[in-house]
């Protein structure tokens, strides 16, 4: 039998739901929630969280993020703020959780604005206006809406965003809209100040494929602390988006060592061995790892 992750990758969501019906482990329950969400059974996913909250709280940062994102997706914004207060009142877990909680009010409000905009039946002209806004909180939700519409009315605006927007992550998210739409013509993209010409249809979607799954499984096996694992995955995702579509070492042993070091630094925790010793232990060059650490930090600072 394939692993739950493999089944999720193959979009066999009903089978995942069936296999996790009596599960009592956090990992299985998170897969159950993800499968139910993918099947548009969000209310059932919320019930899983309520019934198994104490088990899921063993991986608190993951739970908070998934729970509040799901509530916002369902349009339960008042409940999202109520649950946010619940999580704020839990005993201190880590700096990562504290920073996550501090960021969530803005996230919930942005999602609420996005929902109101969609429900009002925003016109293409209004959406174009949001895409041209100087406020990143307008642009990013507008990109999500544009992704689900015919791209032609926004084509020129999106092309301008990919070149001229001051934030690299916005330029990358815009390119990913083109990738999702399989645009089969050459476009210009500002990659950290260098203008590239790319054909979106020929670019790979990030966070998919066997290589990514294998890398994720390796990280999961190495990190016994759920907070460190979640932090490492977030750092890796930031690195990928910031550098998309040009990066190397994204799934290498060097990247794993760099993520271990950076996750500990981010959470202000002491690793079991120093960086040089870990490089020696894992058979990688210290110089290569230090270069990747610098690139990860650059991505986080400029994202």
């Amino acid at each position: 039998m394939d692993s739950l992750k493999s089944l999720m990758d193959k979009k066999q969501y009903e089978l995942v739901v069936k296999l996790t019906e009596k599960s009592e482990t956090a990992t299985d329950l998170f897969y159950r929630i993800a499968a139910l969400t993918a099947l548009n059974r969000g209310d059932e996913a919320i019930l899983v969280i309520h019934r198994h909250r104490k088990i899921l709280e063993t991986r608190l940062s993951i739970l908070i993020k998934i729970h509040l994102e799901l509530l916002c997706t369902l349009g339960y914004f008042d409940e999202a703020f109520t649950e946010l207060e619940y999580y704020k009142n839990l005993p201190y877990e880590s700096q990562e959780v504290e920073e996550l909680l501090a960021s969530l009010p803005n996230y919930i409000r942005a999602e609420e604005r996005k929902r109101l905009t969609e429900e009002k039946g925003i016109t293409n002209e209004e959406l174009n206006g949001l895409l041209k806004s100087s406020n990143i909180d307008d642009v990013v939700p507008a990109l999500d809406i544009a992704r689900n519409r015919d791209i032609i009315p926004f084509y020129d605006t999106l092309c301008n965003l990919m070149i001229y927007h001051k934030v690299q992550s916005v330029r990358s998210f815009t390119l990913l809209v083109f990738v999702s739409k399989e645009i089969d013509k050459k476009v210009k993209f500002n990659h950290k100040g260098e203008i590239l010409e790319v054909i979106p249809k020929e670019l790979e979607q990030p966070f998919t494929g066997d290589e990514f799954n294998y890398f994720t499984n390796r990280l999961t096996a190495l990190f016994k602390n759920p907070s460190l694992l979640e932090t490492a995955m977030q750092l890796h995702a930031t690195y990928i988006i910031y550098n998309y579509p040009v990066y190397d070492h994204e799934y290498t042993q060097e990247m794993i060592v760099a993520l271990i070091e950076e996750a500990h630094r981010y959470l202000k925790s002491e690793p079991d061995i120093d960086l040089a010793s870990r490089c020696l232990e894992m058979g990688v060059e210290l110089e290569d790892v230090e270069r990747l650490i610098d690139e990860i930090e650059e991505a986080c600072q400029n994202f």
Side-chain angles (χ1 to χ4, degrees):
M1 173 63 71
D2 290 339
S3 68
L4 292 176
K5 176 147 189 10
S6 177
L7 292 173
M8 288 294 295
D9 291 338
K10 294 175 181 177
K11 300 185 179 181
Q12 296 186 20
Y13 306 129
E14 292 285 4
L15 183 54
V16 172
V17 171
K18 182 176 180 181
L19 291 173
T20 57
E21 191 172 3
K22 297 182 180 179
S23 293
E24 294 289 336
T25 67
T27 299
D28 284 6
L29 289 168
F30 279 120
Y31 278 122
R32 182 174 181 80
I33 291 165
L36 287 168
T37 302
L39 291 167
N40 294 318
R41 292 159 62 181
D43 287 312
E44 291 179 60
I46 294 294
L47 284 176
V48 173
I49 293 173
H50 288 168
R51 289 170 180 165
H52 302 281
R53 192 192 288 265
K54 292 304 176 185
I55 296 173
L56 294 167
E57 282 178 5
T58 60
R59 300 175 69 177
L60 187 57
S61 62
I62 300 174
L63 172 61
I64 293 171
K65 191 170 185 293
I66 288 175
H67 191 182
L68 295 190
E69 285 182 357
L70 181 54
L71 288 171
C72 289
T73 298
L74 295 171
Y76 301 155
F77 300 107
D78 289 342
E79 186 176 343
F81 279 112
T82 300
E83 292 292 351
L84 176 60
E85 287 304 309
Y86 166 83
Y87 289 121
K88 283 182 176 180
N89 289 323
L90 290 177
Y92 178 85
E93 164 109 353
S94 67
Q95 183 64 28
E96 178 203 10
V97 170
E98 294 301 304
E99 292 181 6
L100 174 62
L101 291 172
S103 71
L104 283 168
N106 287 338
Y107 168 79
I108 297 170
R109 291 190 189 98
E111 289 297 302
E112 188 170 19
R113 286 200 304 272
K114 176 184 168 186
R115 173 62 68 93
L116 288 173
T117 298
E118 291 172 338
E119 288 178 350
K120 287 178 181 177
I122 183 171
T123 66
N124 286 346
E125 183 179 358
E126 291 169 330
L127 185 54
N128 249 322
L130 291 174
L131 289 168
K132 294 175 182 176
S133 171
S134 60
N135 186 343
I136 193 172
D137 289 334
D138 290 332
V139 178
V140 174
L143 284 171
D144 282 338
I145 298 172
R147 186 192 301 269
N148 296 316
R149 293 193 183 183
D150 178 4
I151 204 172
I152 298 301
F154 320 108
Y155 188 88
D156 290 341
T157 301
L158 295 174
C159 284
N160 284 332
L161 275 177
M162 287 194 293
I163 299 173
Y164 299 115
H165 199 282
K166 62 182 180 180
V167 180
Q168 180 62 50
S169 58
V170 172
R171 300 198 295 266
S172 295
F173 285 132
T174 307
L175 175 58
L176 285 169
V177 173
F178 274 50
V179 173
S180 70
K181 292 293 189 179
E182 298 185 338
I183 299 300
D184 195 14
K185 61 188 296 186
K186 194 174 290 185
V187 297
K188 291 183 178 180
F189 174 66
N190 183 344
H191 182 265
K192 299 192 292 185
E194 179 184 0
I195 303 300
L196 308 178
E197 290 190 339
V198 298
I199 299 175
K201 187 177 181 178
E202 296 179 356
L203 298 176
E204 289 187 7
Q205 289 267 16
F207 316 118
T208 60
D210 292 339
E211 194 174 11
F212 172 72
N213 293 336
Y214 178 69
F215 180 81
T216 302
N217 289 335
R218 290 180 67 198
L219 278 182
T220 303
L222 281 170
F223 283 96
K224 305 305 179 186
N225 182 313
S227 292
L228 283 170
L229 173 61
E230 176 68 7
T231 300
M233 294 297 291
Q234 289 176 350
L235 290 169
H236 188 242
T238 299
Y239 169 87
I240 294 292
I241 294 296
Y242 179 72
N243 289 285
Y244 186 80
V246 182
Y247 35 65
D248 56 11
H249 292 292
E250 68 270 26
Y251 300 131
T252 62
Q253 190 86 330
E254 288 84 358
M255 177 59 76
I256 286 177
V257 177
L259 290 173
I260 292 172
E261 185 71 14
E262 274 298 277
H264 278 287
R265 290 182 187 179
Y266 187 85
L267 295 182
K268 298 180 175 60
S269 63
E270 194 68 30
D272 52 348
I273 58 175
D274 63 75
L275 180 58
S277 298
R278 194 181 303 280
C279 289
L280 185 63
E281 180 184 272
M282 298 187 72
V284 296
E285 294 294 327
L286 176 61
E287 183 178 336
D288 292 336
V289 173
E290 288 178 332
R291 178 180 63 81
L292 278 174
I293 288 173
D294 289 342
E295 291 179 4
I296 292 169
E297 290 182 351
E298 177 193 344
C300 292
Q301 290 166 7
N302 297 292
F303 192 77

